[in-house]
Amino acid sequence: MSTLRTNALEGVDAKNSITIVAGAGNITTTNVQEGLCKMWLNVADNGTNNDSLNVASHTDTAEGRQTIAITNPFRATTTMSGAGTAAETSSSNGSGNDNRGAFFIRGDTTSEAFLNTLICSSGALEDCSISSGVMMGDLA
């Protein structure tokens, strides 16, 4: 097997797109600038950052809400999109159920995002045992 090492790849037909040829002639074209995750985070309720990409720091700012400082900012003229999931492993709100929740990330500025965890049944913000998610968009 050969190894290709490079610091830059540039598409011939379109600068931001490259074609990837997998085994058996399968061909896929991907837009490198818009088609890849630019930030992701996996965080525990106690504030522990389990792992992340492009996250400088995160601060627990309120119940069910954290502020995320992004290392490499998104482009100011771009629209950012986020998705994720959250889970509660105990019945900390006293309801006696599993408290499964979901969260979303919303970019307010090019270098800041908010992680909100909520309980699906009530819509109330609440810290969950573990949350993880991604943000997509063009970096500056």
Side-chain angles (χ1 to χ4, degrees):
M1 181 168 99
S2 299
T3 301
L4 171 67
R5 293 178 180 214
T6 183
N7 288 325
L9 291 174
E10 183 176 299
V12 175
D13 297 327
K15 252 187 168 176
N16 296 329
S17 295
I18 60 171
T19 300
I20 301 168
V21 180
N26 296 325
I27 298 174
T28 302
T29 300
T30 187
N31 185 301
V32 178
Q33 186 173 359
E34 295 179 356
L36 303 175
C37 172
K38 303 303 189 319
M39 190 220 39
W40 63 268
L41 173 69
N42 181 295
V43 63
D45 179 30
N46 63 6
T48 302
N49 181 346
N50 294 326
D51 207 353
S52 63
L53 170 72
N54 198 22
V55 172
S57 66
H58 73 281
T59 306
D60 189 354
T61 53
E63 181 74 18
R65 185 175 175 100
Q66 296 185 39
T67 300
I68 302 164
I70 300 170
T71 305
N72 299 301
F74 287 87
R75 188 168 20 161
T77 58
T78 199
T79 301
M80 296 167 276
S81 178
T85 188
E88 180 61 50
T89 57
S90 67
S91 56
S92 60
N93 74 353
S95 65
N97 61 30
D98 196 19
N99 299 329
R100 296 191 185 268
F103 85 88
F104 60 91
I105 299 177
R106 178 179 55 84
D108 257 9
T109 68
T110 60
S111 58
E112 183 178 67
F114 300 105
L115 176 133
N116 297 310
T117 56
L118 60 110
I119 304 306
C120 292
S121 60
S122 68
L125 289 174
E126 184 173 306
D127 289 338
C128 290
S129 296
I130 194 158
S131 303
S132 60
V134 300
M135 282 193 75
M136 310 294 238
D138 297 341
L139 294 180

